[in-house]
Amino acid sequence: MSRIAYVNGRYVPHSEASVHIEDRGYQFADGVYEVVLVHRGKLVDEIPHLDRLDRSLSELQIDAPMPRAPLRQVMREMVRRNRISDGIVYIQATRGVARRDHPFPKNTRPALVMTSRRLAMPDRAKAEEGVAALTIPDIRWARCDIKAVALLPNVLGKQQAREAGAYEAWQVDDEGYVTEGTSTNTWIVTPDGELVTRQIGEQILSGITRATLIDLAAKQGVTFVERRFTVAEALGAREAFVTSATSFVTPITKINDTVIGNGRAGSVAMGILDSYLDYAADAGAS
Ligand code: PDD
């Protein structure tokens, strides 16, 4: 079965899908995106993802390429046509095609593309083993709350992690506080058992998975606080993990050369992963 992409109103074979060379997403990274998890054929946290897409678009003064109701239909059609049970839908909207010139073009229609692909749900036994992270300076811009396609620093950071045999790079601000991963939000559990993640602000993306997990942690009675934490605090943490629509809850058992906790995934991370999997299979899917 061939993969299908959606490009500006048309469903086309993925191998033939293309946009114009003067799309401003290509030339200026002048666009935004979303990655929505699909589990058992249903979209997880669809509405918060679309709310965040609207917000990103409005921060960049890009008109919505399509009203929400048909957009939701296209997302479902992508899941159906690509026969996705577990996977993702990727949505990208840019300011559109115009002669290369820095100011916003007039009368240009925003462009919309969508792809969908399979992604395996996490394997619990593998998650227990954990993965490594390294810390790197956060060299991104001052509006990381906008889910812009301008991801070059993130790409460089992730590559650095992979070359060091690590799963993720934890970006660190000028004051020594962890901001977030290159494509994930970052969390620790302190030696006192307090779950900590950085507060929302312009330095990080307001993760949809993050928000869902905060609710789920509260239901489990986990003590939780939103505040920034330093690299030193992370190295001394009992647990560490990262979250996103594609990383779910991924325990981190080593940061740089330091083993976190006992070197295995902790009970808070695994408890939250379990409740997230239940949530994705049920309440959060539509
Ligand atoms: N990334 N922080 C950054 C910088 C991200 O790129 C992402 C998501 C997150 C987590 O957000 P959410 O829980 O809504 O997925 C945090 C997506 C998955 C990506 O770029 O592929």
Side-chain angles (χ1 to χ4, degrees):
M1 190 209 62
S2 65
R3 284 181 71 194
I4 300 296
Y6 175 87
V7 184
N8 293 319
R10 295 197 311 134
Y11 294 95
V12 294
H14 186 271
S15 54
E16 292 165 25
S18 59
V19 293
H20 196 275
I21 57 166
E22 290 205 295
D23 187 288
R24 288 178 62 99
Y26 180 61
Q27 291 188 326
F28 295 115
D30 189 359
V32 301
Y33 75 104
E34 280 296 327
V35 179
V36 184
L37 178 66
V38 180
H39 183 41
R40 298 182 182 164
K42 299 243 173 91
L43 297 153
V44 179
D45 283 334
E46 178 192 12
I47 299 303
H49 277 286
L50 294 179
D51 288 345
R52 187 173 64 186
L53 180 65
D54 285 347
R55 179 180 182 277
S56 297
L57 286 166
S58 95
E59 289 297 314
L60 299 186
Q61 298 171 52
I62 298 175
D63 292 336
M66 182 187 275
R68 184 171 289 201
L71 184 70
R72 294 181 68 187
Q73 265 173 25
V74 175
M75 291 166 77
R76 281 167 179 70
E77 193 59 20
M78 287 296 289
V79 171
R80 194 186 70 77
R81 289 193 188 221
N82 288 287
R83 300 200 190 139
I84 305 296
S85 175
D86 293 338
I88 57 151
V89 171
Y90 176 81
I91 308 168
Q92 178 172 315
T94 71
R95 203 178 302 277
V97 176
R99 192 189 68 179
R100 187 181 181 280
D101 204 2
H102 289 69
F104 298 169
K106 291 199 171 62
N107 308 321
T108 292
R109 263 191 305 131
L112 176 66
V113 306
M114 248 186 247
T115 56
S116 191
R117 69 169 169 85
R118 298 204 167 122
L119 175 74
M121 295 299 284
D123 172 353
R124 230 184 155 274
K126 202 139 185 298
E128 290 266 9
E129 284 170 26
V131 290
L134 75 161
T135 57
I136 60 169
D138 193 335
I139 58 167
R140 299 175 302 162
W141 71 326
R143 290 303 306 274
C144 296
D145 57 315
I146 301 172
K147 200 161 172 62
V149 293
L151 291 175
L152 188 53
N154 308 57
V155 166
L156 296 176
K158 186 78 90 183
Q159 182 62 19
Q160 197 180 328
R162 292 297 156 89
E163 285 174 13
Y167 176 78
E168 179 61 299
W170 285 30
Q171 300 171 108
V172 180
D173 69 19
D174 290 346
E175 294 176 86
Y177 291 92
V178 176
T179 53
E180 61 180 336
T182 62
S183 63
T184 55
N185 290 118
T186 45
W187 308 63
I188 58 168
V189 178
T190 66
D192 297 337
E194 190 174 60
L195 177 62
V196 183
T197 197
R198 191 177 174 119
Q199 73 281 6
I200 292 305
E202 294 186 351
Q203 297 76 26
I204 67 164
L205 184 74
S206 179
I208 303 303
T209 319
R210 174 190 181 281
T212 294
L213 294 175
I214 289 172
D215 287 348
L216 295 175
K219 285 191 186 122
Q220 291 191 355
V222 177
T223 319
F224 167 71
V225 58
E226 276 180 291
R227 64 166 172 84
R228 53 188 197 162
F229 57 86
T230 61
V231 172
E233 203 180 353
L235 297 179
R238 189 196 282 179
E239 295 183 34
F241 58 94
V242 295
T243 63
S244 79
T246 49
S247 291
F248 312 96
V249 177
T250 300
I252 302 287
T253 46
K254 199 171 142 203
I255 301 177
N256 301 334
D257 289 326
T258 303
V259 172
I260 305 303
N262 65 3
R264 304 274 301 171
S267 57
V268 173
M270 291 311 288
I272 291 178
L273 172 59
D274 287 340
S275 58
Y276 183 70
L277 294 177
D278 288 345
Y279 170 85
D282 180 16
S286 59

